[in-house]
Amino acid sequence: MFNQALHATIQILLFRQGPEDFPYATDGRLDTACTALGIIATALLFGIVQPLPLALFDGVVATLVVSLYVRLVLRLRGLESRQQQTRNALLATGSLLLLMLWLPMSMVMPVMTEFMNTMAAAQQAAGP
């Protein structure tokens, strides 16, 4: 099941499939895995510039927002039966994209943080 989910995620990212092609599982293991992956991927990216507890909190909030957004949109369109597949597909593809962004962002963010600190110090030195 997890291999099918990974294959479907890659196919969705390559625009060859849609979220309706993501595997459906009734036991909840795939939901749990996608939720954990969403939280961890977001926390890893935010952890570059934030302390770990705050990054984990941001990961939980971001995953919750995606879940609520999917629920709201699909309920408005009358497609509640697709909620699990769409939510899991969004979390899996978003997490994969965030993990691919981690390396470039980990190289850029320390430089950006140093630049912002230098700008703040310059503004304080200049006075009002």
Side-chain angles (χ1 to χ4, degrees):
M1 172 175 45
F2 294 113
N3 289 336
Q4 292 173 337
L6 179 61
H7 178 69
T9 301
I10 293 169
Q11 294 300 313
I12 291 169
L13 287 172
L14 295 173
F15 300 110
R16 294 184 180 155
Q17 290 182 346
E20 67 275 1
D21 298 313
F22 203 81
Y24 178 81
T26 57
D27 60 359
R29 290 184 305 154
L30 189 57
D31 283 342
T32 304
C34 288
T35 301
L37 184 62
I39 292 170
I40 291 169
T42 306
L44 279 175
L45 192 65
F46 286 156
I48 296 171
V49 293
Q50 296 177 342
L52 184 61
L54 187 57
L56 282 172
F57 178 73
D58 288 344
V60 170
V61 169
T63 303
L64 182 64
V65 166
V66 168
S67 299
L68 292 174
Y69 180 74
V70 167
R71 183 180 179 117
L72 175 70
V73 170
L74 291 179
R75 179 173 282 178
L76 288 174
R77 295 198 59 212
L79 299 170
E80 293 173 357
S81 61
R82 291 191 180 176
Q83 181 181 347
Q84 181 192 31
Q85 287 176 298
T86 304
R87 177 189 170 277
N88 288 344
L90 281 173
L91 287 174
T93 55
S95 298
L96 196 56
L97 290 172
L98 287 174
L99 291 173
M100 290 186 331
L101 275 174
W102 183 81
L103 183 61
M105 290 300 287
S106 67
M107 292 179 188
V108 170
M109 286 313 292
V111 175
M112 289 296 294
T113 304
E114 184 180 332
F115 175 74
M116 295 300 287
N117 291 338
T118 304
M119 292 299 292
Q123 284 179 345
Q124 284 181 348

